[in-house]
PDB file of all heavy atoms in Angstrom:
ATOM      1  N   ARG A1188     105.421 105.583 101.553  1.00  0.00           N
ATOM      2  CA  ARG A1188     105.996 104.657 100.585  1.00  0.00           C
ATOM      3  C   ARG A1188     104.998 104.499  99.440  1.00  0.00           C
ATOM      4  O   ARG A1188     103.799 104.344  99.680  1.00  0.00           O
ATOM      5  CB  ARG A1188     106.305 103.308 101.232  1.00  0.00           C
ATOM      6  CG  ARG A1188     107.389 103.393 102.292  1.00  0.00           C
ATOM      7  CD  ARG A1188     107.834 102.011 102.755  1.00  0.00           C
ATOM      8  NE  ARG A1188     106.836 101.365 103.612  1.00  0.00           N
ATOM      9  CZ  ARG A1188     106.935 100.093 104.016  1.00  0.00           C
ATOM     10  NH1 ARG A1188     107.961  99.339 103.621  1.00  0.00           N
ATOM     11  NH2 ARG A1188     106.011  99.570 104.812  1.00  0.00           N
ATOM     12  N   SER A1189     105.485 104.562  98.214  1.00  0.00           N
ATOM     13  CA  SER A1189     104.610 104.565  97.044  1.00  0.00           C
ATOM     14  C   SER A1189     104.473 103.170  96.444  1.00  0.00           C
ATOM     15  O   SER A1189     105.464 102.498  96.142  1.00  0.00           O
ATOM     16  CB  SER A1189     105.142 105.529  95.982  1.00  0.00           C
ATOM     17  OG  SER A1189     104.365 105.446  94.793  1.00  0.00           O
ATOM     18  N   LEU A1190     103.219 102.781  96.254  1.00  0.00           N
ATOM     19  CA  LEU A1190     102.863 101.510  95.613  1.00  0.00           C
ATOM     20  C   LEU A1190     101.919 101.812  94.466  1.00  0.00           C
ATOM     21  O   LEU A1190     100.863 102.431  94.675  1.00  0.00           O
ATOM     22  CB  LEU A1190     102.188 100.584  96.632  1.00  0.00           C
ATOM     23  CG  LEU A1190     101.453  99.343  96.115  1.00  0.00           C
ATOM     24  CD1 LEU A1190     102.404  98.404  95.388  1.00  0.00           C
ATOM     25  CD2 LEU A1190     100.758  98.622  97.271  1.00  0.00           C
ATOM     26  N   THR A1191     102.264 101.417  93.249  1.00  0.00           N
ATOM     27  CA  THR A1191     101.378 101.662  92.103  1.00  0.00           C
ATOM     28  C   THR A1191     100.409 100.496  91.944  1.00  0.00           C
ATOM     29  O   THR A1191     100.815  99.332  91.913  1.00  0.00           O
ATOM     30  CB  THR A1191     102.174 101.854  90.804  1.00  0.00           C
ATOM     31  OG1 THR A1191     103.077 100.772  90.632  1.00  0.00           O
ATOM     32  CG2 THR A1191     102.953 103.171  90.834  1.00  0.00           C
ATOM     33  N   ILE A1192      99.122 100.825  91.858  1.00  0.00           N
ATOM     34  CA  ILE A1192      98.059  99.849  91.596  1.00  0.00           C
ATOM     35  C   ILE A1192      97.062 100.491  90.649  1.00  0.00           C
ATOM     36  O   ILE A1192      96.622 101.623  90.884  1.00  0.00           O
ATOM     37  CB  ILE A1192      97.321  99.418  92.886  1.00  0.00           C
ATOM     38  CG1 ILE A1192      98.280  98.797  93.900  1.00  0.00           C
ATOM     39  CG2 ILE A1192      96.204  98.440  92.548  1.00  0.00           C
ATOM     40  CD1 ILE A1192      97.596  98.364  95.192  1.00  0.00           C
ATOM     41  N   ASP A1193      96.685  99.784  89.609  1.00  0.00           N
ATOM     42  CA  ASP A1193      95.640 100.254  88.702  1.00  0.00           C
ATOM     43  C   ASP A1193      94.300  99.747  89.204  1.00  0.00           C
ATOM     44  O   ASP A1193      93.916  98.595  88.947  1.00  0.00           O
ATOM     45  CB  ASP A1193      95.902  99.760  87.281  1.00  0.00           C
ATOM     46  CG  ASP A1193      94.940 100.383  86.268  1.00  0.00           C
ATOM     47  OD1 ASP A1193      93.995 101.086  86.699  1.00  0.00           O
ATOM     48  OD2 ASP A1193      95.130 100.172  85.065  1.00  0.00           O
ATOM     49  N   ILE A1194      93.581 100.595  89.920  1.00  0.00           N
ATOM     50  CA  ILE A1194      92.309 100.159  90.503  1.00  0.00           C
ATOM     51  C   ILE A1194      91.195 100.088  89.472  1.00  0.00           C
ATOM     52  O   ILE A1194      90.072  99.685  89.799  1.00  0.00           O
ATOM     53  CB  ILE A1194      91.882 101.074  91.677  1.00  0.00           C
ATOM     54  CG1 ILE A1194      91.628 102.511  91.194  1.00  0.00           C
ATOM     55  CG2 ILE A1194      92.923 101.043  92.793  1.00  0.00           C
ATOM     56  CD1 ILE A1194      91.000 103.410  92.247  1.00  0.00           C
ATOM     57  N   ALA A1195      91.491 100.446  88.223  1.00  0.00           N
ATOM     58  CA  ALA A1195      90.496 100.278  87.157  1.00  0.00           C
ATOM     59  C   ALA A1195      90.435  98.835  86.681  1.00  0.00           C
ATOM     60  O   ALA A1195      89.513  98.462  85.950  1.00  0.00           O
ATOM     61  CB  ALA A1195      90.812 101.198  85.982  1.00  0.00           C
ATOM     62  N   THR A1196      91.398  98.005  87.059  1.00  0.00           N
ATOM     63  CA  THR A1196      91.395  96.594  86.679  1.00  0.00           C
ATOM     64  C   THR A1196      90.886  95.745  87.834  1.00  0.00           C
ATOM     65  O   THR A1196      91.073  96.090  89.012  1.00  0.00           O
ATOM     66  CB  THR A1196      92.807  96.125  86.300  1.00  0.00           C
ATOM     67  OG1 THR A1196      93.636  96.121  87.473  1.00  0.00           O
ATOM     68  CG2 THR A1196      93.424  97.041  85.240  1.00  0.00           C
ATOM     69  N   GLU A1197      90.254  94.619  87.510  1.00  0.00           N
ATOM     70  CA  GLU A1197      89.736  93.739  88.562  1.00  0.00           C
ATOM     71  C   GLU A1197      90.871  93.204  89.430  1.00  0.00           C
ATOM     72  O   GLU A1197      90.740  93.109  90.648  1.00  0.00           O
ATOM     73  CB  GLU A1197      88.948  92.586  87.939  1.00  0.00           C
ATOM     74  CG  GLU A1197      87.621  93.002  87.327  1.00  0.00           C
ATOM     75  CD  GLU A1197      86.802  91.804  86.871  1.00  0.00           C
ATOM     76  OE1 GLU A1197      87.204  90.659  87.177  1.00  0.00           O
ATOM     77  OE2 GLU A1197      85.770  92.024  86.229  1.00  0.00           O
ATOM     78  N   GLU A1198      91.985  92.878  88.796  1.00  0.00           N
ATOM     79  CA  GLU A1198      93.111  92.351  89.558  1.00  0.00           C
ATOM     80  C   GLU A1198      93.687  93.431  90.476  1.00  0.00           C
ATOM     81  O   GLU A1198      94.056  93.151  91.621  1.00  0.00           O
ATOM     82  CB  GLU A1198      94.181  91.831  88.602  1.00  0.00           C
ATOM     83  CG  GLU A1198      95.207  90.941  89.270  1.00  0.00           C
ATOM     84  CD  GLU A1198      96.032  90.142  88.273  1.00  0.00           C
ATOM     85  OE1 GLU A1198      96.268  90.644  87.162  1.00  0.00           O
ATOM     86  OE2 GLU A1198      96.439  89.027  88.632  1.00  0.00           O
ATOM     87  N   GLY A1199      93.732  94.662  89.980  1.00  0.00           N
ATOM     88  CA  GLY A1199      94.197  95.752  90.809  1.00  0.00           C
ATOM     89  C   GLY A1199      93.265  96.022  91.979  1.00  0.00           C
ATOM     90  O   GLY A1199      93.715  96.300  93.097  1.00  0.00           O
ATOM     91  N   GLN A1200      91.964  95.934  91.744  1.00  0.00           N
ATOM     92  CA  GLN A1200      90.988  96.133  92.816  1.00  0.00           C
ATOM     93  C   GLN A1200      91.147  95.069  93.904  1.00  0.00           C
ATOM     94  O   GLN A1200      91.129  95.376  95.102  1.00  0.00           O
ATOM     95  CB  GLN A1200      89.579  96.098  92.237  1.00  0.00           C
ATOM     96  CG  GLN A1200      89.263  97.257  91.314  1.00  0.00           C
ATOM     97  CD  GLN A1200      88.087  96.981  90.404  1.00  0.00           C
ATOM     98  OE1 GLN A1200      87.254  96.111  90.671  1.00  0.00           O
ATOM     99  NE2 GLN A1200      88.012  97.729  89.298  1.00  0.00           N
ATOM    100  N   ALA A1201      91.298  93.817  93.480  1.00  0.00           N
ATOM    101  CA  ALA A1201      91.467  92.735  94.450  1.00  0.00           C
ATOM    102  C   ALA A1201      92.749  92.927  95.251  1.00  0.00           C
ATOM    103  O   ALA A1201      92.770  92.718  96.476  1.00  0.00           O
ATOM    104  CB  ALA A1201      91.490  91.392  93.718  1.00  0.00           C
ATOM    105  N   LEU A1202      93.792  93.352  94.576  1.00  0.00           N
ATOM    106  CA  LEU A1202      95.060  93.598  95.261  1.00  0.00           C
ATOM    107  C   LEU A1202      94.922  94.743  96.258  1.00  0.00           C
ATOM    108  O   LEU A1202      95.424  94.659  97.391  1.00  0.00           O
ATOM    109  CB  LEU A1202      96.135  93.923  94.229  1.00  0.00           C
ATOM    110  CG  LEU A1202      97.567  94.089  94.737  1.00  0.00           C
ATOM    111  CD1 LEU A1202      98.070  92.779  95.338  1.00  0.00           C
ATOM    112  CD2 LEU A1202      98.482  94.551  93.611  1.00  0.00           C
ATOM    113  N   ALA A1203      94.224  95.811  95.867  1.00  0.00           N
ATOM    114  CA  ALA A1203      94.017  96.948  96.761  1.00  0.00           C
ATOM    115  C   ALA A1203      93.254  96.533  98.011  1.00  0.00           C
ATOM    116  O   ALA A1203      93.577  96.967  99.127  1.00  0.00           O
ATOM    117  CB  ALA A1203      93.275  98.063  96.032  1.00  0.00           C
ATOM    118  N   ARG A1204      92.244  95.683  97.862  1.00  0.00           N
ATOM    119  CA  ARG A1204      91.489  95.232  99.030  1.00  0.00           C
ATOM    120  C   ARG A1204      92.367  94.389  99.952  1.00  0.00           C
ATOM    121  O   ARG A1204      92.249  94.469 101.179  1.00  0.00           O
ATOM    122  CB  ARG A1204      90.249  94.449  98.586  1.00  0.00           C
ATOM    123  CG  ARG A1204      89.123  95.338  98.070  1.00  0.00           C
ATOM    124  CD  ARG A1204      87.826  94.562  97.870  1.00  0.00           C
ATOM    125  NE  ARG A1204      87.922  93.648  96.729  1.00  0.00           N
ATOM    126  CZ  ARG A1204      87.637  93.970  95.472  1.00  0.00           C
ATOM    127  NH1 ARG A1204      87.258  95.212  95.193  1.00  0.00           N
ATOM    128  NH2 ARG A1204      87.738  93.087  94.511  1.00  0.00           N
ATOM    129  N   ARG A1205      93.239  93.577  99.377  1.00  0.00           N
ATOM    130  CA  ARG A1205      94.138  92.778 100.208  1.00  0.00           C
ATOM    131  C   ARG A1205      95.088  93.678 101.003  1.00  0.00           C
ATOM    132  O   ARG A1205      95.351  93.420 102.179  1.00  0.00           O
ATOM    133  CB  ARG A1205      94.931  91.801  99.341  1.00  0.00           C
ATOM    134  CG  ARG A1205      94.100  90.687  98.733  1.00  0.00           C
ATOM    135  CD  ARG A1205      94.972  89.787  97.857  1.00  0.00           C
ATOM    136  NE  ARG A1205      95.989  89.066  98.647  1.00  0.00           N
ATOM    137  CZ  ARG A1205      96.970  88.341  98.112  1.00  0.00           C
ATOM    138  NH1 ARG A1205      97.087  88.270  96.793  1.00  0.00           N
ATOM    139  NH2 ARG A1205      97.841  87.719  98.898  1.00  0.00           N
ATOM    140  N   ILE A1206      95.593  94.724 100.348  1.00  0.00           N
ATOM    141  CA  ILE A1206      96.464  95.666 101.058  1.00  0.00           C
ATOM    142  C   ILE A1206      95.679  96.399 102.141  1.00  0.00           C
ATOM    143  O   ILE A1206      96.152  96.562 103.278  1.00  0.00           O
ATOM    144  CB  ILE A1206      97.088  96.683 100.089  1.00  0.00           C
ATOM    145  CG1 ILE A1206      97.993  95.989  99.066  1.00  0.00           C
ATOM    146  CG2 ILE A1206      97.854  97.768 100.838  1.00  0.00           C
ATOM    147  CD1 ILE A1206      99.268  95.435  99.622  1.00  0.00           C
ATOM    148  N   ALA A1207      94.456  96.842 101.823  1.00  0.00           N
ATOM    149  CA  ALA A1207      93.636  97.576 102.787  1.00  0.00           C
ATOM    150  C   ALA A1207      93.336  96.732 104.021  1.00  0.00           C
ATOM    151  O   ALA A1207      93.238  97.259 105.142  1.00  0.00           O
ATOM    152  CB  ALA A1207      92.338  98.032 102.133  1.00  0.00           C
ATOM    153  N   ALA A1208      93.202  95.422 103.834  1.00  0.00           N
ATOM    154  CA  ALA A1208      92.928  94.531 104.964  1.00  0.00           C
ATOM    155  C   ALA A1208      94.089  94.495 105.950  1.00  0.00           C
ATOM    156  O   ALA A1208      93.912  94.096 107.113  1.00  0.00           O
ATOM    157  CB  ALA A1208      92.613  93.122 104.459  1.00  0.00           C
ATOM    158  N   GLU A1209      95.272  94.922 105.497  1.00  0.00           N
ATOM    159  CA  GLU A1209      96.442  94.961 106.364  1.00  0.00           C
ATOM    160  C   GLU A1209      96.646  96.341 106.993  1.00  0.00           C
ATOM    161  O   GLU A1209      97.666  96.578 107.640  1.00  0.00           O
ATOM    162  CB  GLU A1209      97.688  94.577 105.563  1.00  0.00           C
ATOM    163  CG  GLU A1209      97.639  93.202 104.924  1.00  0.00           C
ATOM    164  CD  GLU A1209      97.525  92.102 105.962  1.00  0.00           C
ATOM    165  OE1 GLU A1209      98.198  92.210 107.012  1.00  0.00           O
ATOM    166  OE2 GLU A1209      96.762  91.142 105.734  1.00  0.00           O
ATOM    167  N   CYS A1210      95.703  97.246 106.778  1.00  0.00           N
ATOM    168  CA  CYS A1210      95.840  98.628 107.248  1.00  0.00           C
ATOM    169  C   CYS A1210      94.837  98.942 108.351  1.00  0.00           C
ATOM    170  O   CYS A1210      93.800  98.280 108.484  1.00  0.00           O
ATOM    171  CB  CYS A1210      95.647  99.594 106.080  1.00  0.00           C
ATOM    172  SG  CYS A1210      96.914  99.441 104.789  1.00  0.00           S
ATOM    173  N   ASP A1211      95.133  99.968 109.122  1.00  0.00           N
ATOM    174  CA  ASP A1211      94.246 100.437 110.190  1.00  0.00           C
ATOM    175  C   ASP A1211      93.371 101.593 109.738  1.00  0.00           C
ATOM    176  O   ASP A1211      92.254 101.765 110.242  1.00  0.00           O
ATOM    177  CB  ASP A1211      95.087 100.907 111.387  1.00  0.00           C
ATOM    178  CG  ASP A1211      95.980  99.818 111.925  1.00  0.00           C
ATOM    179  OD1 ASP A1211      95.477  98.976 112.680  1.00  0.00           O
ATOM    180  OD2 ASP A1211      97.175  99.801 111.566  1.00  0.00           O
ATOM    181  N   ILE A1212      93.898 102.388 108.827  1.00  0.00           N
ATOM    182  CA  ILE A1212      93.252 103.636 108.411  1.00  0.00           C
ATOM    183  C   ILE A1212      93.240 103.686 106.892  1.00  0.00           C
ATOM    184  O   ILE A1212      94.225 103.329 106.245  1.00  0.00           O
ATOM    185  CB  ILE A1212      94.025 104.852 108.975  1.00  0.00           C
ATOM    186  CG1 ILE A1212      94.044 104.818 110.509  1.00  0.00           C
ATOM    187  CG2 ILE A1212      93.430 106.168 108.476  1.00  0.00           C
ATOM    188  CD1 ILE A1212      95.144 105.676 111.125  1.00  0.00           C
ATOM    189  N   PHE A1213      92.121 104.117 106.331  1.00  0.00           N
ATOM    190  CA  PHE A1213      91.965 104.250 104.878  1.00  0.00           C
ATOM    191  C   PHE A1213      91.554 105.695 104.622  1.00  0.00           C
ATOM    192  O   PHE A1213      90.560 106.162 105.151  1.00  0.00           O
ATOM    193  CB  PHE A1213      90.862 103.288 104.408  1.00  0.00           C
ATOM    194  CG  PHE A1213      90.722 103.101 102.920  1.00  0.00           C
ATOM    195  CD1 PHE A1213      90.933 101.863 102.347  1.00  0.00           C
ATOM    196  CD2 PHE A1213      90.324 104.146 102.086  1.00  0.00           C
ATOM    197  CE1 PHE A1213      90.778 101.651 100.990  1.00  0.00           C
ATOM    198  CE2 PHE A1213      90.164 103.959 100.731  1.00  0.00           C
ATOM    199  CZ  PHE A1213      90.391 102.698 100.173  1.00  0.00           C
ATOM    200  N   VAL A1214      92.327 106.420 103.810  1.00  0.00           N
ATOM    201  CA  VAL A1214      92.011 107.817 103.513  1.00  0.00           C
ATOM    202  C   VAL A1214      91.886 107.959 101.999  1.00  0.00           C
ATOM    203  O   VAL A1214      92.774 107.532 101.252  1.00  0.00           O
ATOM    204  CB  VAL A1214      93.091 108.782 104.041  1.00  0.00           C
ATOM    205  CG1 VAL A1214      92.633 110.233 103.863  1.00  0.00           C
ATOM    206  CG2 VAL A1214      93.402 108.507 105.508  1.00  0.00           C
ATOM    207  N   GLU A1215      90.773 108.547 101.545  1.00  0.00           N
ATOM    208  CA  GLU A1215      90.553 108.741 100.104  1.00  0.00           C
ATOM    209  C   GLU A1215      89.910 110.086  99.850  1.00  0.00           C
ATOM    210  O   GLU A1215      89.217 110.628 100.713  1.00  0.00           O
ATOM    211  CB  GLU A1215      89.693 107.602  99.542  1.00  0.00           C
ATOM    212  CG  GLU A1215      88.300 107.440 100.170  1.00  0.00           C
ATOM    213  CD  GLU A1215      87.210 108.239  99.471  1.00  0.00           C
ATOM    214  OE1 GLU A1215      87.479 108.849  98.402  1.00  0.00           O
ATOM    215  OE2 GLU A1215      86.091 108.266 100.002  1.00  0.00           O
ATOM    216  N   ASN A1216      90.140 110.637  98.640  1.00  0.00           N
ATOM    217  CA  ASN A1216      89.491 111.904  98.296  1.00  0.00           C
ATOM    218  C   ASN A1216      88.934 111.866  96.876  1.00  0.00           C
ATOM    219  O   ASN A1216      89.064 112.811  96.112  1.00  0.00           O
ATOM    220  CB  ASN A1216      90.444 113.091  98.507  1.00  0.00           C
ATOM    221  CG  ASN A1216      91.696 113.040  97.640  1.00  0.00           C
ATOM    222  OD1 ASN A1216      91.997 112.024  97.024  1.00  0.00           O
ATOM    223  ND2 ASN A1216      92.424 114.140  97.603  1.00  0.00           N
ATOM    224  N   PHE A1217      88.256 110.749  96.561  1.00  0.00           N
ATOM    225  CA  PHE A1217      87.541 110.635  95.302  1.00  0.00           C
ATOM    226  C   PHE A1217      86.176 111.312  95.417  1.00  0.00           C
ATOM    227  O   PHE A1217      85.682 111.580  96.522  1.00  0.00           O
ATOM    228  CB  PHE A1217      87.353 109.158  94.928  1.00  0.00           C
ATOM    229  CG  PHE A1217      88.588 108.523  94.345  1.00  0.00           C
ATOM    230  CD1 PHE A1217      89.745 108.359  95.106  1.00  0.00           C
ATOM    231  CD2 PHE A1217      88.604 108.085  93.036  1.00  0.00           C
ATOM    232  CE1 PHE A1217      90.885 107.786  94.570  1.00  0.00           C
ATOM    233  CE2 PHE A1217      89.739 107.504  92.481  1.00  0.00           C
ATOM    234  CZ  PHE A1217      90.876 107.358  93.249  1.00  0.00           C
ATOM    235  N   LYS A1218      85.553 111.586  94.265  1.00  0.00           N
ATOM    236  CA  LYS A1218      84.198 112.134  94.288  1.00  0.00           C
ATOM    237  C   LYS A1218      83.258 111.172  95.000  1.00  0.00           C
ATOM    238  O   LYS A1218      83.500 109.952  95.033  1.00  0.00           O
ATOM    239  CB  LYS A1218      83.709 112.389  92.853  1.00  0.00           C
ATOM    240  CG  LYS A1218      84.383 113.570  92.165  1.00  0.00           C
ATOM    241  CD  LYS A1218      83.875 113.741  90.742  1.00  0.00           C
ATOM    242  CE  LYS A1218      82.396 114.104  90.710  1.00  0.00           C
ATOM    243  NZ  LYS A1218      81.926 114.379  89.323  1.00  0.00           N
ATOM    244  N   VAL A1219      82.170 111.712  95.543  1.00  0.00           N
ATOM    245  CA  VAL A1219      81.205 110.895  96.274  1.00  0.00           C
ATOM    246  C   VAL A1219      80.750 109.730  95.395  1.00  0.00           C
ATOM    247  O   VAL A1219      80.317 109.919  94.251  1.00  0.00           O
ATOM    248  CB  VAL A1219      79.997 111.748  96.703  1.00  0.00           C
ATOM    249  CG1 VAL A1219      78.893 110.863  97.271  1.00  0.00           C
ATOM    250  CG2 VAL A1219      80.427 112.785  97.734  1.00  0.00           C
ATOM    251  N   GLY A1220      80.866 108.533  95.914  1.00  0.00           N
ATOM    252  CA  GLY A1220      80.444 107.330  95.188  1.00  0.00           C
ATOM    253  C   GLY A1220      81.444 106.830  94.171  1.00  0.00           C
ATOM    254  O   GLY A1220      81.248 105.772  93.565  1.00  0.00           O
ATOM    255  N   GLY A1221      82.557 107.559  93.979  1.00  0.00           N
ATOM    256  CA  GLY A1221      83.498 107.219  92.923  1.00  0.00           C
ATOM    257  C   GLY A1221      84.219 105.895  93.125  1.00  0.00           C
ATOM    258  O   GLY A1221      84.636 105.263  92.151  1.00  0.00           O
ATOM    259  N   LEU A1222      84.379 105.462  94.364  1.00  0.00           N
ATOM    260  CA  LEU A1222      85.113 104.227  94.627  1.00  0.00           C
ATOM    261  C   LEU A1222      84.212 103.000  94.708  1.00  0.00           C
ATOM    262  O   LEU A1222      84.726 101.868  94.756  1.00  0.00           O
ATOM    263  CB  LEU A1222      85.921 104.362  95.925  1.00  0.00           C
ATOM    264  CG  LEU A1222      87.138 105.292  95.850  1.00  0.00           C
ATOM    265  CD1 LEU A1222      87.821 105.396  97.212  1.00  0.00           C
ATOM    266  CD2 LEU A1222      88.128 104.800  94.802  1.00  0.00           C
ATOM    267  N   LYS A1223      82.918 103.203  94.703  1.00  0.00           N
ATOM    268  CA  LYS A1223      82.001 102.065  94.818  1.00  0.00           C
ATOM    269  C   LYS A1223      82.170 101.099  93.650  1.00  0.00           C
ATOM    270  O   LYS A1223      82.168  99.877  93.831  1.00  0.00           O
ATOM    271  CB  LYS A1223      80.559 102.560  94.894  1.00  0.00           C
ATOM    272  CG  LYS A1223      79.546 101.457  95.166  1.00  0.00           C
ATOM    273  CD  LYS A1223      78.153 102.033  95.361  1.00  0.00           C
ATOM    274  CE  LYS A1223      77.142 100.932  95.668  1.00  0.00           C
ATOM    275  NZ  LYS A1223      77.459 100.215  96.919  1.00  0.00           N
ATOM    276  N   ARG A1224      82.348 101.641  92.447  1.00  0.00           N
ATOM    277  CA  ARG A1224      82.460 100.770  91.272  1.00  0.00           C
ATOM    278  C   ARG A1224      83.749  99.961  91.277  1.00  0.00           C
ATOM    279  O   ARG A1224      83.886  98.974  90.549  1.00  0.00           O
ATOM    280  CB  ARG A1224      82.363 101.587  89.991  1.00  0.00           C
ATOM    281  CG  ARG A1224      83.429 102.657  89.830  1.00  0.00           C
ATOM    282  CD  ARG A1224      83.296 103.370  88.512  1.00  0.00           C
ATOM    283  NE  ARG A1224      84.160 104.524  88.414  1.00  0.00           N
ATOM    284  CZ  ARG A1224      84.504 105.098  87.253  1.00  0.00           C
ATOM    285  NH1 ARG A1224      84.031 104.612  86.114  1.00  0.00           N
ATOM    286  NH2 ARG A1224      85.284 106.144  87.250  1.00  0.00           N
ATOM    287  N   TYR A1225      84.714 100.361  92.094  1.00  0.00           N
ATOM    288  CA  TYR A1225      85.967  99.619  92.206  1.00  0.00           C
ATOM    289  C   TYR A1225      85.978  98.671  93.412  1.00  0.00           C
ATOM    290  O   TYR A1225      86.971  97.987  93.646  1.00  0.00           O
ATOM    291  CB  TYR A1225      87.141 100.582  92.340  1.00  0.00           C
ATOM    292  CG  TYR A1225      87.274 101.576  91.222  1.00  0.00           C
ATOM    293  CD1 TYR A1225      87.333 102.946  91.481  1.00  0.00           C
ATOM    294  CD2 TYR A1225      87.351 101.159  89.890  1.00  0.00           C
ATOM    295  CE1 TYR A1225      87.471 103.866  90.443  1.00  0.00           C
ATOM    296  CE2 TYR A1225      87.482 102.066  88.857  1.00  0.00           C
ATOM    297  CZ  TYR A1225      87.542 103.426  89.139  1.00  0.00           C
ATOM    298  OH  TYR A1225      87.672 104.327  88.118  1.00  0.00           O
TER     299      TYR A1225
END
């Protein structure tokens, strides 16, 4: 199921973390360290 979130925005980052807290597994394929700033 597709959910659009702009993780470049602070509000989008906070929303993404709230969604992730409801998940068991997190899979990403960003460059090494690329998600730390978000």
Side-chain angles (χ1 to χ4, degrees):
R1188 295 189 286 172
S1189 175
L1190 166 62
T1191 52
I1192 301 180
D1193 188 353
I1194 63 171
T1196 68
E1197 289 187 8
E1198 195 165 32
Q1200 293 161 21
L1202 185 63
R1204 284 190 289 272
R1205 291 179 65 188
I1206 297 290
E1209 301 298 320
C1210 296
D1211 302 279
I1212 299 161
F1213 191 117
V1214 187
E1215 59 90 6
N1216 62 348
F1217 282 65
K1218 288 179 65 175
V1219 171
L1222 289 177
K1223 186 175 181 62
R1224 60 177 171 161
Y1225 303 126

